[in-house]
């Protein structure tokens, strides 16, 4: 039952393809460090590939037919793209869906203060993080500031070589006797994750001169007033680029593999569909998965359902029943990363049912915690079908569980889409040190995932 390592069977041409995909992926990671940046990238690439926005199709009262390509941009934080197939939409779609939000440190709405000669920003972390991992490292600021006049200021500080970076300090080891005695979870509190932003007083300023210096920079260089932070979304993320990892360059280390590795594989797969597919292909890149898929840009919002209704209407086939049928008759890969087996923490895994880096795209029948609580638990019949699709298309794949039973848990968007009565299974790429500022994946798994998602979408 042990699954083969993908690298073993690659010919030279395949290694070249995997390398090329990895290079493109690293560029994607570097320009997509927030859900907004990933959405902008996706919209841009989809437009270039001939996709038109659903809003435009509606405005132009366009009649949609097989072969047409449309996408929905959900508040600049999520995207749903459709490549309309020959079969009636009522017969269902082949859906792949990944998320583009990643754990990070968000600035609070009233963030700035001065203490001991520093100007700092109070933060509120986003998603599940081990807090100690986010201190003592260079961080970049990405995001937007929405002004009262409706204009939006884009922020990206700390990625260019010439940019300054910011960061969260940690206590020196020499004074850490007390801190070292605490548990990992308690040693650093969420409230203490404050970012140092400046350290020089503004000349001639008596009261809080370093804060005054910071506010002057924000005003002069970005046109932002302190009060504008109330309507800002600024995310502190690890600064720097994704890089090859390992002396054999077989892996990639970077920020946000969860879940941008699956998101990229999915988007690439969608863009590679150049003929009119039998069934409609749908690719989703969604937000807020890391905090429970909530809000208008998370999977629990109805943007998929709304888009299907609009498309059916533009095809002249709308009815409430046809929307329900289109969703119920769909099948989906919920594309999200899997925990890669880590030999340094072997006891956290069960060897036979773990995902291994380099053994191809993973399928997780279920996720959740405890007795599978909160999971989707895919149907055996559907898994049988997936096995056939994977093997017919010579894809290297493996099955996995998150880790040892009762050790923890996690969820994905799978159970939400399953609410429509469609077949769903979790499928993804194995990651080492998931949710750390820098995560690791294998290039082979990215390559196999892209092939898998394309094969799944093209399934008649
Ligand atoms: Mn994820
Ligand atoms: Mn995650």
């Amino acid at each position: 039952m042990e699954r083969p390592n993908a690298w073993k069977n690659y010919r030279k041409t395949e290694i070249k393809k995997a390398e090329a995909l990895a290079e493109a992926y690293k560029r994607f990671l570097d320009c997509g460090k927030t859900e907004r940046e990933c959405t902008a990238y996706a919209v841009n690439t989809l437009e270039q590939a001939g996709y038109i926005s659903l809003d435009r199709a509606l405005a132009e009262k366009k009649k949609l037919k097989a072969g047409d390509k449309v996408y929905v941009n959900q508040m600049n934080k999520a995207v749903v793209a459709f490549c309309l197939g020959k079969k009636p939409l009522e017969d269902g779609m082949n859906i792949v869906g990944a998320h583009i939000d990643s754990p990070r440190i968000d600035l609070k709405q009233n963030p700035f203060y001065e203490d001991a000669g520093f100007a700092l920003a109070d933060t509120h972390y986003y998603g599940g993080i081990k807090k100690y991992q986010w201190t003592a490292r260079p961080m970049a600021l990405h995001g937007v500031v929405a002004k009262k006049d409706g204009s939006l200021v884009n922020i990206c500080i700390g990625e260019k070589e010439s940019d300054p970076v910011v960061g969260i300090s940690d206590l020196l080891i020499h004074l850490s006797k007390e801190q070292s005695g605490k548990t990992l979870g308690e040693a650093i509190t969420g409230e203490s994750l404050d970012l140092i932003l400046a350290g020089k007083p503004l000349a001639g300023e008596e009261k809080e001169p370093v804060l005054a210096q910071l506010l002057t920079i924000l005003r002069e260089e970005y046109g932002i007033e302190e009060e504008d932070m109330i309507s800002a979304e600024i995310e502190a993320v690890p600064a720097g680029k994704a890089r090859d990892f390992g002396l054999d360059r077989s892996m990639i280390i970077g920020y946000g593999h969860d879940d941008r590795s699956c998101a990229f594989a999915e988007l690439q797969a969608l863009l590679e569909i150049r003929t009119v597919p039998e069934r409609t292909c749908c690719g989703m890149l969604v937000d807020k998965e890391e905090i429970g898929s909530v809000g208008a840009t998370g999977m629990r919002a109805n943007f998929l359902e709304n888009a299907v209704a609009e498309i059916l209407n533009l095809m002249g086939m709308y009815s409430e029943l046809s929307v329900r049928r289109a969703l119920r008759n769909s099948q989906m890969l919920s594309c999200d990363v899997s925990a890669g087996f880590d030999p340094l923490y072997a006891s956290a895994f069960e060897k036979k049912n773990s995902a291994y880096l380099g053994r191809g795209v993973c399928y997780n029948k279920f996720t959740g915690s405890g007795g599978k609580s909160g999971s989707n638990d895919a149907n055996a019949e559907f898994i049988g079908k997936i096995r056939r699709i994977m093997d017919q298309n010579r894809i290297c794949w493996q099955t996995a569980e998150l880790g040892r039973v009762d050790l923890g848990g996690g969820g994905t968007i799978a159970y939400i889409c399953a609410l429509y009565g469609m077949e769903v299974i979790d499928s993804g790429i194995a990651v080492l040190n998931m949710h750390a500022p820098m995560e690791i994946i294998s290039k082979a798994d990215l390559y196999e995932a892209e092939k898998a998602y394309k094969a799944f979408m093209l399934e008649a």
Side-chain angles (χ1 to χ4, degrees):
M1 289 288 278
E2 193 177 307
R3 309 296 300 179
N5 190 299
W7 293 106
K8 278 186 183 170
N9 299 319
Y10 283 164
R11 283 178 302 245
K12 269 196 184 140
T13 50
E14 279 171 311
I15 291 178
K16 257 194 179 159
K17 277 190 202 166
E19 273 299 336
L21 189 71
E23 289 305 312
Y25 173 56
K26 283 188 283 179
R27 288 195 293 274
F28 169 70
L29 276 189
D30 293 341
C31 72
K33 288 198 175 183
T34 67
E35 60 281 24
R36 285 178 186 270
E37 289 170 356
C38 290
T39 298
Y41 175 98
V43 165
N44 190 25
T45 0
L46 288 166
E47 288 267 357
Q48 277 176 25
Y51 281 76
I52 64 163
S53 81
L54 186 60
D55 285 339
R56 194 178 126 197
L58 287 170
E60 293 173 2
K61 295 194 174 69
K62 202 169 152 42
K63 291 263 174 286
L64 293 179
K65 55 178 189 322
D68 284 342
K69 298 168 172 181
V70 286
Y71 72 88
V72 174
N73 175 348
Q74 181 73 356
M75 297 174 180
N76 298 320
K77 293 179 179 178
V79 186
V80 188
F82 300 85
C83 178
L84 300 177
K86 291 176 197 155
K87 289 185 177 169
L89 195 49
E90 264 196 13
D91 289 5
M93 302 168 281
N94 294 341
I95 305 173
V96 288
H99 68 91
I100 47 176
D101 60 318
S102 295
R104 60 181 192 246
I105 313 286
D106 286 342
L107 262 61
K108 288 189 184 180
Q109 300 326 108
N110 181 9
F112 304 135
Y113 69 96
E114 175 167 341
D115 199 351
F118 296 112
L120 299 105
D122 243 306
T123 70
H124 199 134
Y125 67 96
Y126 173 97
I129 61 167
K130 292 166 91 170
K131 299 182 187 81
Y132 71 90
Q133 294 177 332
W134 295 74
T135 64
R137 59 164 37 255
M139 306 274 280
L141 299 172
H142 291 238
V144 296
V145 181
K147 311 271 283 183
K148 271 200 289 191
D149 65 6
S151 63
L152 207 61
V153 182
N154 274 301
I155 301 285
C156 180
I157 308 166
E159 299 297 352
K160 285 196 235 100
E161 280 293 314
S162 56
D163 275 357
V165 291
V166 296
I168 301 163
S169 62
D170 192 7
L171 187 60
L172 64 166
I173 182 67
H174 314 71
L175 297 177
S176 292
K177 217 171 202 174
E178 221 171 70
Q179 189 194 43
S180 301
K182 293 181 182 170
T183 64
L184 268 183
E186 287 164 350
I188 288 165
T189 63
E191 200 57 70
S192 71
L193 289 176
D194 292 357
L195 285 160
I196 297 176
L197 297 182
K200 185 167 76 180
L202 185 70
E205 193 75 27
E206 285 303 312
K207 202 174 146 253
E208 302 192 314
V210 185
L211 184 59
Q213 171 86 344
L214 172 70
L215 296 178
T216 304
I217 293 168
L218 290 180
R219 192 178 306 121
E220 287 177 358
E221 291 185 26
Y222 302 95
I224 301 164
E225 299 295 329
E226 187 176 13
E227 211 183 279
D228 291 332
M229 294 306 295
I230 293 170
S231 50
E233 287 175 347
I234 308 288
E235 308 178 8
V237 299
K241 292 182 152 84
R243 306 180 64 156
D244 284 350
F245 188 78
L247 300 188
D248 58 1
R249 296 181 181 271
S250 61
M251 295 166 274
I252 299 169
I253 186 164
Y255 165 63
H257 286 318
D258 179 5
D259 184 33
R260 292 170 191 144
S261 57
C262 295
F264 178 76
E266 171 197 313
L267 190 60
Q268 281 303 113
L270 192 64
L271 294 172
E272 274 196 18
I273 294 170
R274 297 204 178 90
T275 53
V276 182
E278 289 298 314
R279 275 160 71 87
T280 292
C281 302
C282 169
M284 295 194 291
L285 304 175
V286 302
D287 182 29
K288 299 283 183 282
E289 191 278 341
E290 295 295 358
I291 59 167
S293 298
V294 292
T297 54
M299 195 66 244
R300 288 204 230 182
N302 293 331
F303 46 79
L304 170 65
E305 187 179 325
N306 291 344
V308 169
E310 294 284 10
I311 289 169
L312 278 164
N313 196 37
L314 291 177
M315 296 181 100
M317 292 190 284
Y318 172 78
S319 73
E320 195 196 325
L321 190 59
S322 58
V323 174
R324 288 180 188 223
R325 282 176 178 159
L327 290 164
R328 189 207 63 190
N329 292 330
S330 290
Q331 52 182 0
M332 175 179 178
L333 296 184
S334 158
C335 306
D336 208 340
V337 293
S338 212
F341 181 85
D342 186 339
L344 303 190
Y345 299 94
S347 70
F349 299 87
E350 188 264 287
K351 278 197 158 173
K352 302 194 304 312
N353 290 286
S354 290
Y356 290 82
L357 264 69
R359 293 191 194 173
V361 63
C362 301
Y363 286 94
N364 291 59
K365 184 177 189 301
F366 50 86
T367 57
S369 63
K372 301 190 180 183
S373 176
S375 87
N376 163 60
D377 209 356
N379 291 312
E381 294 89 333
F382 185 46
I383 302 176
K385 184 177 185 179
I386 294 291
R387 286 173 59 201
R388 180 198 34 88
I389 300 171
M390 293 301 108
D391 289 346
Q392 269 179 0
N393 289 279
R394 298 166 169 271
I395 285 148
C396 188
W397 60 280
Q398 55 183 329
T399 58
E401 271 195 45
L402 185 54
R404 211 176 80 207
V405 178
D406 279 342
L407 204 58
T412 64
I413 61 170
Y415 75 97
I416 304 162
C417 300
L419 293 171
Y420 291 114
M422 68 175 78
E423 295 277 20
V424 187
I425 186 166
D426 280 302
S427 166
I429 292 166
V431 174
L432 274 196
N433 40 262
M434 195 189 293
H435 283 209
M438 288 284 158
E439 303 169 312
I440 297 161
I441 63 160
S442 165
K443 291 178 182 177
D445 298 335
L446 179 73
Y447 178 59
E448 296 299 328
E450 195 257 357
K451 285 198 296 181
Y453 299 163
K454 186 178 170 191
F456 178 80
M457 278 192 279
L458 288 178
E459 178 67 18

